[in-house]
Amino acid sequence: MSRDNRLTLNDWILNISTLLYVISLLGIAPYLPRYAVALGASETEVSLLATSYALTAIALRFIVGYLNDKGYARTLMVTGSLLNALALTLYSTSGSLALVYVGRLVQGVSVALFIPASLYSASVTGARASRVIVWRATMWGLGSALGPAILGFVLVRWSWQPLFLAATLASIAAATMSSLYKQEAVAVSGGGFGFREVLTKPFILASVTLFTYVVGYQSLSYFLPSLHEIEGLPSSETAAFFTIMAFSNLASRLAISLKQNFNPPLGALAGLAASIVGYTIVAIEPNGQIALIAAVLAGLGLGLLFPSLQVISLLGVPEYRRGLAASIYTAMFDLAALVGPPIVITISGGYRESLVTSAIVIALTAAPVILINRVTRGGKS
């Protein structure tokens, strides 16, 4: 590895702040639908948990992209972390679904600020950019694994309030680390928003892939825990599925972080193949040991696909436009979270049927991924 490609202390500050934020954000994600069901939420109301946060997350994306390109990434990360802590406090003190939805709106603002700023910061690190993006994705995977595992233990051992308190402390720690980050110097653009410079073929295809995949992924994340709750399964069943999925996700992200000649388009193709098999299995049998095998495959697929798409989408865009690019790209996740679960549950008519619909949606993601490999000529993104 050349010296220019080695991660710096500043890169690791970015990585650790991302890790802490993800532990807080995604650590509660598998359990929030159960919390809503315990408060009396219907199937439609559970699907609105995704919709309510995505509304604010999407609304702010363009202005956040502009602020990133103007040098405010660190401020956005600090503010986003603190707003996440506020949302978690609202969850903890709420005794009604109304306050839970208010918390989701606040958490949407948090996501709109932190996630694009963090991804943008990783993408403007010069010759290190590809490695920093992949390592940031690995920290995301680590947080996805540690968050549900740690907070799931807190929930099983104690109750809901300690769960939200632990997540709040992690988010405050993320804000502290973000305040220590030193932004990289980036050349200023000639003005305007520069959509033509952003909307390259690889960027468009990666964004379409992300959107389609997340419709299926978010539906699984919301409706499988809800199915477990309705069927009277213990919370440990939900925790086991998502913890295994998260650690499998982490393993594949770590593997590509350590690989010297990582090929993003082929990584995306391999990740999607594993995901299709995993989602198909869980659609057939959502409980028991076979579902845990599905969790392994779905996690491996996710861990290969997401970092690959991030590199494909951003590194073909000029550095001075990557703030806007990161905002548009990550908005695809929020847009899918906004429309995906309500549409899936409406089409499906029930929690179990929604898992079949999710598997079909994941399979449809094959089209843009195959086109990515054609456009990039077998891997030269």
Side-chain angles (χ1 to χ4, degrees):
M1 185 190 305
S2 68
R3 191 174 186 84
D4 288 343
N5 287 334
R6 294 178 182 174
L7 271 63
T8 66
L9 176 61
N10 200 42
D11 296 332
W12 283 109
I13 290 174
L14 175 64
N15 284 339
I16 293 171
S17 66
T18 301
L19 170 63
L20 291 167
Y21 182 82
V22 174
I23 287 174
S24 177
L25 179 72
L26 298 187
I28 68 161
Y31 313 114
L32 197 58
R34 294 190 70 128
Y35 185 56
V37 170
L39 291 175
S42 66
E43 293 177 352
T44 301
E45 287 170 331
V46 169
S47 72
L48 291 177
L49 288 173
T51 303
S52 55
Y53 110 87
L55 282 171
T56 48
I58 294 170
L60 295 171
R61 273 304 201 269
F62 286 115
I63 186 63
V64 168
Y66 177 80
L67 291 173
N68 273 325
D69 284 331
K70 293 301 180 181
Y72 293 98
R74 180 175 64 181
T75 301
L76 293 171
M77 287 191 292
V78 172
T79 306
S81 298
L82 293 176
L83 286 174
N84 189 52
L86 174 60
L88 290 162
T89 302
L90 288 173
Y91 297 151
S92 178
T93 58
S94 68
S96 67
L97 282 173
L99 272 182
V100 172
Y101 290 127
V102 171
R104 287 300 274 170
L105 291 171
V106 174
Q107 200 164 38
V109 178
S110 164
V111 166
L113 301 186
F114 186 94
I115 293 178
S118 173
L119 180 56
Y120 163 77
S121 297
S123 75
V124 292
T125 49
R128 306 188 312 279
S130 179
R131 290 191 63 81
V132 177
I133 289 173
V134 171
W135 270 106
R136 174 193 171 276
T138 300
M139 293 300 104
W140 192 279
L142 180 59
S144 300
L146 291 178
I150 294 172
L151 297 183
F153 171 79
V154 171
L155 175 59
V156 172
R157 179 65 178 82
W158 288 286
S159 64
W160 291 108
Q161 277 63 43
L163 167 76
F164 294 128
L165 175 60
T168 300
L169 293 175
S171 197
I172 292 172
T176 303
M177 288 300 300
S178 297
S179 69
L180 301 176
Y181 181 71
K182 296 179 181 178
Q183 291 182 234
E184 302 278 346
V186 178
V188 179
S189 66
F193 279 97
F195 287 105
R196 288 187 178 181
E197 294 170 286
V198 171
L199 299 179
T200 63
K201 287 182 180 179
F203 178 86
I204 293 171
L205 289 170
S207 298
V208 170
T209 301
L210 180 67
F211 174 83
T212 309
Y213 189 94
V214 171
V215 169
Y217 169 70
Q218 283 287 90
S219 297
L220 175 75
S221 299
Y222 276 91
F223 301 135
L224 182 61
S226 300
L227 177 64
H228 288 174
E229 180 73 14
I230 292 297
E231 293 186 346
L233 297 174
S235 58
S236 58
E237 181 95 5
T238 305
F241 182 92
F242 285 99
T243 298
I244 289 173
M245 183 175 177
F247 275 101
S248 177
N249 174 16
L250 172 62
S252 56
R253 292 186 188 221
L254 183 59
I256 63 175
S257 295
L258 298 174
K259 186 174 175 60
Q260 295 300 310
N261 298 311
F262 171 56
N263 186 317
L266 292 181
L269 191 60
L272 180 60
S275 295
I276 290 173
V277 176
Y279 277 72
T280 300
I281 292 174
V282 80
I284 296 171
E285 180 49 69
N287 306 322
Q289 292 184 345
I290 193 169
L292 300 183
I293 296 173
V296 172
L297 292 171
L300 285 174
L302 179 65
L304 289 173
L305 182 65
F306 274 26
S308 300
L309 293 178
Q310 289 173 5
V311 174
I312 292 165
S313 65
L314 292 182
L315 294 196
V317 175
E319 281 195 345
Y320 59 81
R321 296 299 189 196
R322 288 181 189 170
L324 176 61
S327 288
I328 295 174
Y329 174 78
T330 56
M332 294 300 102
F333 191 107
D334 299 321
L335 183 59
L338 175 64
V339 302
I343 291 175
V344 166
I345 197 66
T346 299
I347 292 173
S348 305
Y351 291 137
R352 182 176 285 272
E353 294 82 1
S354 72
L355 301 180
V356 177
T357 306
S358 297
I360 293 171
V361 172
I362 293 295
L364 293 175
T365 309
V369 171
I370 291 171
L371 287 175
I372 285 173
N373 277 267
R374 291 183 179 178
V375 167
T376 56
R377 296 181 180 179
K380 295 180 181 179
S381 60

